[in-house]
Amino acid sequence: MKKSLLVAALLATYSFAYSAKGMVTYKKLCSSCHGPAFKGAAMLESEEWKEMFDNSAQNLKNIHKYDKSATKKINSSYFERRMKALRDFMMNNARDKGVVRSCDGLNCG
């Protein structure tokens, strides 16, 4: 019984940290400049990512304002729809969250 609870908890944590929607969003919008998803998420700590996405991602928009391509992506309806998933992925895989993940056979960030 204890073993099955542990396995269930690990699977829940694993799937939550990966946040497929957030990873797909990162790959589509961010990876061309910032590299693999887990490496990109590790650029900041979780609280810093939260601040980046506060107020409709105003800080993130300000940082990218001189890059026309990035500005176009951040102002897209796709970004607006997926912003929460992207924020969750970035916060759950931030520098302060422990081990920085990489390719594991299932997900190659």
Side-chain angles (χ1 to χ4, degrees):
M1 180 71 172
K2 288 181 183 179
K3 188 175 182 179
S4 62
L5 287 174
L6 177 63
V7 169
L10 287 172
L11 287 174
T13 301
Y14 177 83
S15 63
F16 182 70
Y18 271 127
S19 175
K21 256 188 183 180
M23 182 186 292
V24 168
T25 304
Y26 178 92
K27 285 180 179 180
K28 185 171 182 173
L29 300 177
C30 312
S31 65
S32 62
C33 292
H34 298 292
F38 294 113
K39 182 180 176 187
M43 289 188 300
L44 299 175
E45 294 187 357
S46 54
E47 188 59 33
E48 293 171 313
W49 280 121
K50 182 184 178 309
E51 291 172 7
M52 283 291 175
F53 284 92
D54 282 350
N55 301 316
S56 299
Q58 195 58 52
N59 289 335
L60 194 64
K61 291 175 182 178
N62 286 339
I63 286 174
H64 292 89
K65 68 183 173 186
Y66 297 112
D67 183 328
K68 289 181 183 182
S69 176
T71 298
K72 183 176 179 180
K73 290 175 183 180
I74 291 173
N75 290 326
S76 71
S77 61
Y78 181 80
F79 177 81
E80 291 298 321
R81 288 190 317 272
R82 296 287 190 104
M83 182 171 47
K84 183 182 181 314
L86 180 59
R87 182 200 66 205
D88 291 348
F89 174 78
M90 300 305 267
M91 288 178 65
N92 291 331
N93 294 283
R95 179 184 328 153
D96 62 327
K97 292 300 183 174
V99 177
V100 176
R101 294 167 185 86
S102 62
C103 296
D104 68 357
L106 295 173
N107 294 297
C108 192

